[in-house]
């Protein structure tokens, strides 16, 4: 079981790293997806190996996948709106408000 | 299948009915009959609030997945009152030519987030809690972006959506660790079999961090100022009051119900968070020139005060938290009401623009002054009583140093609230904002808020009617 958890942790922190370092809004969104899916792996692994008699973790994963899809849809809508307005999705161009 | 379970969810179902009616009305009404849309929305929400008031449900449904009790009902009523005030306030803005096409979406999405908050505060399971939280924050990102051709609006939306996603994935990781440590997601079952293992502590801390983003506690507050500045003023008002109050109450319910046996772990964490939240929020508010950014930092420090009720962990703490949120609804919405009236008429939101406002707009200035005094906690107004009760709750549990730091910070906050009052009443300027003829809806909402600021503190029945219903750890 430990190998699966190692994979999910690596995925999660790769997502955190990407979230912090990427300058393209879509790349940031992809990093966020990595984080969300790493958590789903966690739930499934805990359920399968620690509590095999029940299904709560699996159900949570199903709902989390659906919600993550909705989140992605909204984030992409906002990114498209930014692209229509400034023809660019680089975070360096979306910095009018500071401090 | 037994459908009688749904009867316990009548608060949510009635709100859902309101949302559906408004949605169909917006879709199928003719151009002419849609003119009354705003008022119909306010009326329906008022009727639904009255329904909550006369018909409180107590019990649990779906095997403990959904729970409701009189105190949760009161929180829902408080949230409803705040939303109603925001909707009345948004009337003018929603009728502006830019917003005309999207007016229906504004009302439906706002009520949808309210439904999410309902689910969040009356959930008995982390799954429903998470769904409610996302339902409360996803439509809000769309609302922040609703003025889609304004650069500030879509910039704020981009910042908000990414921070919301990041925080909810942190929280999900926390919940997954709690699940791994305990093996169930029901609040009562977790509380029954809670053992303080390292895995559980990591989960708890990640969960706190995720909620910290939603309530904008300090190390997680960086999105607040930008989003508040960029979002349309009515949405900012909604974000700063309703969504913050609901998240704070939900955090308290989870900490009390689920993590009460490891209180020795989260209380010191919360202690530190409260100290830096109040201090940094206040210090940064001093140097703000834009009033919406100013209110953002003021609301960060208010979040710190709200958390004083959580750390106390007693029934008194819960009562004073609900009371604080109620008073905060009235005071903050009065401030945002005045800001949005002036912004709609002139487009100005900087503090220097308010110089000499008393000369031209005496009523608006007095309303803003009363609301700021209430936020600062000056005696005859409601804000004093709410601060008093929340400090009392914390002192009763022995947090003397914490309350002392909070008291010192109240003085700093008085300084920067008075800066605005000084600009309005004392400083003079050549280009003063001209006299504004405000419309009926804004007048109604601002006077309701001022009435709340003046009366909620003096009518002691409000506080004492919440006391017997609340519960502690």
């Amino acid at each position: 079981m430990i190998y699966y958890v190692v994979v999910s942790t690596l995925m999660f922190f790769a997502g955190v790293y990407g979230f912090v370092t990427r300058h393209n809004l879509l790349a940031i969104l992809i990093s966020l997806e990595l984080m969300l899916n790493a958590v789903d792996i966690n739930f499934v692994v805990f359920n399968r190996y620690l509590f095999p008699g029940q299904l709560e973790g699996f159900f949570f994963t199903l709902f989390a996948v659906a919600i993550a899809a909705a989140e992605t849809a909204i984030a992409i809508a906002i990114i498209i709106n930014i692209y229509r307005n400034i023809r660019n999705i680089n975070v360096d161009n979306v910095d009018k408000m500071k401090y | 299948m037994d459908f009688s379970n749904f009867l316990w969810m009548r608060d949510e179902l009635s709100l859902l009915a309101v949302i559906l009616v408004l949605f169909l009305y917006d879709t199928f009404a003719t151009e002419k009959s849609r003119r009354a849309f705003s008022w119909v929305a306010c009326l329906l929400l008022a009727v639904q609030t009255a329904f909550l008031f006369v018909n409180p449900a107590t019990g649990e449904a779906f095997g403990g997945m959904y729970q409701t009790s009189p105190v949760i009902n009161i929180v829902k009523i408080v949230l409803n009152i705040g939303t109603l005030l925001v909707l009345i306030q948004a009337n003018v803005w929603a009728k502006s030519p830019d917003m005309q096409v999207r007016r229906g979406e504004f009302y439906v999405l706002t009520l949808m987030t309210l439904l999410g908050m309902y689910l969040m505060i009356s959930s008995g399971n982390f799954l429903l809690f998470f769904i409610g939280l996302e339902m409360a924050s996803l439509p809000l990102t769309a609302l922040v972006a609703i003025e889609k051709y304004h650069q500030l609006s879509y910039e704020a939306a981009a910042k908000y959506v990414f921070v919301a996603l990041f925080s909810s994935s942190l929280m999900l990781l926390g919940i997954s660790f709690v699940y791994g440590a305990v093996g169930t997601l029901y609040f009562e079952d977790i509380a029954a079999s809670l053992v303080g293992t390292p895995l559980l502590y990591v989960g708890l801390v990640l969960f706190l961090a995720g909620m910290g983003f939603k309530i904008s506690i300090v190390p997680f507050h960086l999105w607040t100022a930008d989003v508040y500045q960029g979002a349309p003023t009515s949405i900012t008002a909604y974000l700063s009051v309703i969504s913050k109050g609901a998240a704070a109450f939900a955090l308290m319910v989870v900490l009390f119900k689920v993590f009460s046996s490891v209180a020795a772990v989260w209380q010191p964490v919360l202690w530190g968070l409260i100290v830096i939240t109040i201090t940094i929020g206040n210090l940064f508010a001093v140097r703000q020139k834009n009033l919406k950014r100013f209110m953002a930092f003021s609301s960060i420090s208010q979040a710190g005060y709200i958390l004083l009720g959580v750390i106390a962990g007693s029934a008194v703490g819960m009562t004073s938290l609900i009371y604080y949120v109620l008073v905060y609804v009235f005071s903050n919405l009065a401030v945002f009401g005045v800001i949005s009236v002036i912004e709609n008429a002139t487009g100005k939101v900087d503090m220097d623009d308010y110089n000499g406002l008393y000369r031209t707009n005496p009523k608006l200035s007095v309303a803003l002054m009363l609301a700021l005094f209430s936020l600062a906690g000056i005696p005859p107004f409601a804000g004093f009583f709410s601060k008093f009760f929340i400090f009392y709750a914390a002192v009763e549990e022995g947090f003397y140093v914490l309350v002392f730091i909070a008291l010192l910070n109240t003085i700093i906050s008085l300084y920067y609230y008075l800066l605005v009052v000084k600009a309005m009443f004392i400083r003079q300027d050549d280009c003063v904002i001209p006299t504004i003829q405000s419309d009926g809806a804004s007048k109604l909402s601002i006077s309701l808020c001022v009435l709340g600021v003046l009366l909620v503190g003096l009518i002691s029945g409000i506080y004492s009617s919440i006391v017997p219903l609340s519960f502690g750890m």
Side-chain angles (χ1 to χ4, degrees), chain B residues 407-422:
Chain B
L407 276 174
L408 282 184
N409 272 290
T410 318
I411 300 168
I412 305 177
S413 73
L414 189 60
Y415 166 72
Y416 63 75
Y417 287 129
L418 283 178
L419 280 181
V420 183
V421 178
K422 181 185 159 203

Side-chain angles (χ1 to χ4, degrees), chain B residues 102-137:
Chain B
R102 294 190 284 275
R103 187 169 63 174
E105 293 165 33
F106 165 68
Y107 288 97
V108 171
L109 285 177
T110 310
L111 293 180
M112 201 68 96
T113 62
L114 188 64
L115 181 64
M117 289 166 203
Y118 274 20
L119 285 177
M120 180 168 74
I121 59 181
S122 57
S123 58
N125 181 308
F126 270 119
L127 178 54
L128 193 63
F129 181 85
F130 180 67
I131 293 174
L133 189 87
E134 290 305 320
M135 232 173 123
S137 69

